[in-house]
Amino acid sequence: MSGVPNPCLVLLHVVLFSLLPLKITCSARTQAEALIRWKNTLSPLPPSLDTWSLSNLNSLCNWTFITCDDATGTVSQINLSNSNMSGSISQFNFTPFANLTRFDLKNNAMDGPIPASIGALSKLVVLDLSNNSFQGELPMEIGRLRELRYLSLFNNSLNGTILHNLAYNELELEFPRFIFNCHNLTFLDLSLNSLTGPIPESLFTNLTNLVSLNLTDNAFEGPLSSNIAKLSKLGCLRLGTNRLNGSIPETELGSCTNLTFLALAGNQLSGELPLSLSQLTELTELGLSENLFSGEIQSSLVSNWTNLISLQLQNNLFTGEIPPEIGLLTKLRFLFLYNNLLSGSIPSEIGNLKSLNTLDLSGNHLSGPIPQTMWTLSNLEALQLFYNNLSGTIPPDFGKNSPVLNYVSLSNNSFSGELPLELCSGFALKNLNGNKFTGSLPACLRNCTMLRRVRFDGNRFTGNITNAFGVHPELDYVSLWGNQFTGEISPEWGKCQNLTNLEVDRNRISGRIPAELGKLTQLRVLNLGANDLSENIPLELGNLSLLFNLNLRQNQLTGNIPRIVGNLVRLELLDLSGNRLIGEIPVELQNCKKLLSLNLSHNNLSGGIPSEIGSLSSLQKLLDLCSNSLSGSIPQDLMKHVSLENLNVSRNDLSGRIPTSLSSMSSLVSFDFSYNELTGPIPSDGVFQNASGNAFVGNPDLCGDVR
């Protein structure tokens, strides 16, 4: 389950049966000396360990991190957890500590092996070495610790046989069979390993005292056993991210009525949810996402899950409507139903979920307006409704009753009307693209200093954008394409230092491209195409070293292509077509080694095709130089573009022969050499076999057999 950080305890609570404990007599002084010798091998030492000293031998029971047994006056507990110490326990003499019941070193930087001498701690009840860097195998002598009831070794670097690896290591092969003999086991965590095969039936029949079972992130497969009903004490069941398939057992899982945490996400489970799950009335977190569950979400299920804090059913095949009984889950903080096949309207009862923090219904077939009750959810922080068939308008008081709402995505629906004047109150993100919104952008947008992401593309917005935006320090994404905006691009955009995407193509924007855009050093995508921009391409764009998509097509740009474009070494897509550019193609383009597509067509470029273009070995999608005034011959080096799919050099003044070497460009899907001054025979091999005559028309002196 994602979104709610409330994992089951990563612990293995186990009774290990083995050899009888050693009979050891010890004194407080002997223990104190052993602790000091070990302390001298550790670093860095917290000041609180200053009490561990030779001058303080007779006050052992007052030392920090030490607890003594009142009856014997000897050490019963050593707790050095969260002390930020490094070192090893190989140097620790465990022998004098026969009465020790707790040894806790979790959350340090201890390394080295776990020594066999740890087996001398015959009365140990709690051993916690988790979150360190211990290495090697778990010693067999740990089997002497017959009183052990709490063992945690997760998040180390242990290795060896299957017996000695626990959670957060890299167990492989099948389930470790030794565990089935641990009949008193209550906590079992073997998550984040590579265990395979089915979950053995013996786990369900032998380990009936389990309270917590975590097998997440393995490769277990097969159906979920009906014997799971035998785990009647189970409170936490985590089987997510495996390869389990089949349906949930019809009645058995529902008999585990103590379950508060159920996570089956990321498997291949299918079928409808059995009605017996309504018996799980103690559930606080339910995660069934990323499976193949189908059918309707039954009202009788939802109405019994009134203790739920998190309900995650996303990425399945659920159909039907969202049951209005969802409004009974008044403790719910996270509701994820996205990427299903749900239809109908959003029930107004969702407005009863006053604790709701995150609501995601995106990627369904929901229709109708957003219920007014949803705007009363005062704790809502994130709302995602994109990719549905929702309609209607956004109310004028949108956001006023949701003061913490900072993430909104309503994109790809059928919303219409104008945006609320107070749209920007408290918002850090706007995704409203792909709707039917009209009118101008609200004036409050300019003063929304926390604006982070803006997607208004694919609507019917109008109005002047020159002063619609101000300086937004957090802004990283702007997409306004496909509207009817007018005005000019403001130089103030250059102050939005975190901007990575600026896409305002397919509008009616005029004026020049401001040189200040060259200050946007984080910019990856700059798309200003299909507008009415004029004047020269500013040299300052050559400073955008992270740019991989530059699209200035179909404007009224004039002047030369700046040679500084060669500085854009990460460029993958360059489209300057449909302008009034003049001069030669700059040879500096050869520095753009990652170019996949280059389109300079429909300009007034002159001179020859630089042979350096042939060094752009990554060109794959397109090389389009058509409708210019290019002259000279076609370079032989073009054949280096072995992956090129589309080549167009038509409607120029090119002369000479078509190089026969081009016939080896096996990836070419289309090519066009028409309306030039080319001469000689048309190549007939390779890609030119069965070529259409349309690709060569308008070259009077070309000859050859074409269709």
Side-chain angles (χ1 to χ4, degrees):
M1 284 176 32
S2 62
V4 185
N6 184 16
C8 305
L9 296 175
V10 191
L11 304 169
L12 182 62
H13 183 189
V14 60
V15 178
L16 298 173
F17 300 95
S18 187
L19 305 176
L20 291 175
L22 299 175
K23 297 294 184 181
I24 300 294
T25 59
C26 61
S27 68
R29 184 179 182 88
T30 303
Q31 291 180 335
E33 291 173 345
L35 287 170
I36 290 172
R37 283 193 295 271
W38 181 47
K39 167 192 169 182
N40 293 335
T41 68
L42 305 176
S43 67
L45 295 175
S48 49
L49 273 187
D50 291 346
T51 58
W52 294 26
S53 68
L54 292 173
S55 62
N56 202 20
L57 283 178
N58 296 325
S59 302
L60 173 64
C61 294
N62 294 323
W63 287 10
T64 52
F65 308 123
I66 298 296
T67 302
C68 287
D69 180 80
D70 292 338
T72 64
T74 57
V75 177
S76 61
Q77 296 187 26
I78 301 174
N79 188 349
L80 287 166
S81 60
N82 301 295
S83 296
N84 195 33
M85 295 189 307
S86 61
S88 169
I89 58 175
S90 299
Q91 307 298 318
F92 188 19
N93 180 11
F94 291 101
T95 304
F97 296 89
N99 294 321
L100 196 67
T101 60
R102 182 186 185 97
F103 188 51
D104 191 342
L105 296 179
K106 67 176 176 288
N107 299 331
N108 280 290
M110 309 295 287
D111 57 15
I114 299 174
S117 58
I118 202 169
L121 306 179
S122 57
K123 294 186 179 180
L124 203 62
V125 175
V126 175
L127 175 59
D128 194 341
L129 305 179
S130 60
N131 278 321
N132 281 284
S133 300
F134 289 111
Q135 303 154 357
E137 299 185 7
L138 191 65
M140 293 299 295
E141 286 79 4
I142 207 167
R144 294 176 178 172
L145 309 179
R146 69 175 187 177
E147 301 296 327
L148 195 66
R149 303 186 69 81
Y150 187 109
L151 172 64
S152 182
L153 302 174
F154 78 93
N155 204 16
N156 280 286
S157 299
L158 300 171
N159 55 34
T161 63
I162 193 74
L163 172 65
H164 307 313
N165 287 310
L166 300 173
Y168 282 70
N169 289 285
E170 295 182 358
L171 288 177
E172 296 181 353
L173 303 178
E174 296 183 349
F175 201 95
R177 300 284 169 176
F178 80 96
I179 289 179
F180 303 141
N181 297 323
C182 304
H183 297 285
N184 292 323
L185 203 64
T186 57
F187 290 87
L188 175 60
D189 189 332
L190 293 172
S191 60
L192 292 164
N193 284 292
S194 301
L195 295 170
T196 62
I199 300 173
E201 294 297 313
S202 300
L203 184 148
F204 305 107
T205 57
N206 289 19
L207 306 181
T208 56
N209 287 314
L210 278 177
V211 173
S212 177
L213 174 62
N214 188 356
L215 304 180
T216 307
D217 281 297
N218 280 283
F220 290 116
E221 55 192 23
L224 188 59
S225 170
S226 59
N227 277 323
I228 197 165
K230 297 183 182 298
L231 303 183
S232 59
K233 299 178 181 179
L234 207 60
C236 177
L237 177 60
R238 303 189 67 179
L239 304 179
T241 318
N242 281 284
R243 300 172 185 170
L244 301 175
N245 55 34
S247 59
I248 293 178
E250 190 65 31
T251 60
E252 290 80 2
L253 184 57
S255 66
C256 299
T257 55
N258 289 313
L259 275 175
T260 62
F261 190 109
L262 176 58
L264 303 177
N267 283 286
Q268 298 164 23
L269 297 168
S270 58
E272 298 187 11
L273 300 184
L275 292 179
S276 62
L277 295 184
S278 64
Q279 299 168 211
L280 305 180
T281 58
E282 300 300 315
L283 276 179
T284 60
E285 299 179 35
L286 175 60
L288 305 179
S289 61
E290 298 175 51
N291 280 286
L292 300 170
F293 291 120
S294 57
E296 296 187 3
I297 302 172
Q298 299 291 336
S299 299
S300 56
L301 288 176
V302 174
S303 59
N304 278 16
W305 292 337
T306 55
N307 285 309
L308 276 181
I309 295 172
S310 173
L311 176 58
Q312 302 196 24
L313 304 180
Q314 69 269 24
N315 290 315
N316 278 287
L317 301 171
F318 289 114
T319 56
E321 299 187 1
I322 300 172
E325 287 78 6
I326 201 79
L328 299 174
L329 311 185
T330 55
K331 298 179 182 179
L332 206 61
R333 294 177 57 206
F334 301 90
L335 177 56
F336 295 153
L337 302 179
Y338 61 87
N339 291 346
N340 279 286
L341 302 171
L342 299 172
S343 58
S345 59
I346 300 173
S348 61
E349 288 80 359
I350 278 185
N352 298 335
L353 308 181
K354 302 303 182 184
S355 298
L356 202 62
N357 173 277
T358 303
L359 175 61
D360 194 336
L361 307 179
S362 61
N364 282 287
H365 303 303
L366 300 173
S367 58
I370 299 174
Q372 291 295 319
T373 56
M374 189 179 293
W375 309 125
T376 66
L377 298 176
S378 59
N379 289 302
L380 195 64
E381 294 184 15
L383 174 63
Q384 299 208 74
L385 302 177
F386 61 89
Y387 283 112
N388 279 289
N389 299 315
L390 298 169
S391 58
T393 60
I394 308 301
D397 57 351
F398 174 68
K400 282 187 177 180
N401 297 318
S402 303
V404 293
L405 189 62
N406 59 36
Y407 187 108
V408 178
S409 180
L410 307 180
S411 61
N412 296 100
N413 281 282
S414 296
F415 293 114
S416 59
E418 297 190 7
L419 297 182
L421 295 178
E422 300 299 323
L423 175 72
C424 310
S425 301
F427 287 79
L429 184 147
K430 306 285 186 304
N431 278 359
L432 304 176
N433 54 296
N435 283 284
K436 300 175 182 178
F437 289 116
T438 57
S440 301
L441 297 180
C444 66
L445 199 66
R446 181 172 177 81
N447 299 319
C448 187
T449 57
M450 294 302 294
L451 205 62
R452 187 170 300 161
R453 187 179 177 91
V454 175
R455 288 207 63 180
F456 294 158
D457 50 270
N459 282 282
R460 301 170 183 174
F461 287 116
T462 57
N464 192 316
I465 69 162
T466 305
N467 297 312
F469 294 88
V471 179
H472 310 286
E474 303 296 323
L475 191 62
D476 62 18
Y477 194 106
V478 174
S479 182
L480 306 177
W481 60 262
N483 285 284
Q484 300 174 39
F485 290 120
T486 59
E488 299 185 2
I489 298 173
S490 170
E492 285 192 334
W493 284 112
K495 298 178 182 179
C496 300
Q497 294 296 305
N498 290 316
L499 202 58
T500 62
N501 281 63
L502 179 56
E503 303 180 53
V504 296
D505 53 309
R506 283 178 274 172
N507 281 284
R508 300 175 182 175
I509 298 170
S510 58
R512 64 182 183 88
I513 299 173
E516 287 79 1
L517 296 187
K519 298 177 181 179
L520 300 176
T521 56
Q522 300 301 310
L523 206 61
R524 270 75 167 176
V525 175
L526 178 59
N527 191 342
L528 310 179
N531 280 289
D532 293 314
L533 297 169
S534 58
E535 301 188 30
N536 293 354
I537 299 173
L539 298 177
E540 288 78 4
L541 296 189
N543 299 329
L544 306 178
S545 60
L546 299 181
L547 205 64
F548 66 80
N549 184 346
L550 177 58
N551 189 338
L552 306 179
R553 68 185 179 90
Q554 294 179 21
N555 279 286
Q556 307 295 326
L557 298 173
T558 57
N560 296 327
I561 299 174
R563 297 189 180 277
I564 201 168
V565 72
N567 289 5
L568 307 179
V569 295
R570 288 184 168 88
L571 210 57
E572 296 179 8
L573 305 173
L574 176 59
D575 192 344
L576 305 179
S577 62
N579 282 286
R580 300 175 181 177
L581 299 173
I582 61 173
E584 298 184 353
I585 298 173
V587 296
E588 287 78 5
L589 274 174
Q590 66 181 316
N591 299 328
C592 304
K593 302 294 186 185
K594 296 185 177 181
L595 265 181
L596 301 174
S597 176
L598 175 60
N599 192 346
L600 305 180
S601 64
H602 297 278
N603 279 287
N604 296 316
L605 299 174
S606 58
I609 300 175
S611 60
E612 288 81 0
I613 294 289
S615 66
L616 299 176
S617 56
S618 294
L619 271 181
Q620 178 180 340
K621 296 181 179 179
L622 176 69
L623 175 57
D624 193 345
L625 306 177
C626 78
S627 300
N628 280 285
S629 299
L630 299 173
S631 59
S633 60
I634 299 173
Q636 293 275 351
D637 286 348
L638 285 188
M639 57 82 57
K640 293 181 180 178
H641 300 310
V642 293
S643 300
L644 190 63
E645 298 173 1
N646 301 283
L647 171 64
N648 192 344
V649 294
S650 65
R651 298 185 183 276
N652 279 287
D653 296 318
L654 298 173
S655 58
R657 298 191 173 194
I658 299 174
T660 56
S661 59
L662 301 187
S663 60
S664 63
M665 298 171 66
S666 57
S667 295
L668 271 183
V669 176
S670 68
F671 48 82
D672 193 345
F673 299 92
S674 62
Y675 297 101
N676 279 285
E677 301 296 332
L678 299 171
T679 60
I682 298 171
S684 57
D685 296 335
V687 297
F688 292 105
Q689 290 182 355
N690 302 316
S692 169
N694 291 334
F696 308 100
V697 71
N699 291 278
D701 295 323
L702 274 181
C703 58
D705 185 14
V706 292
R707 293 182 287 118

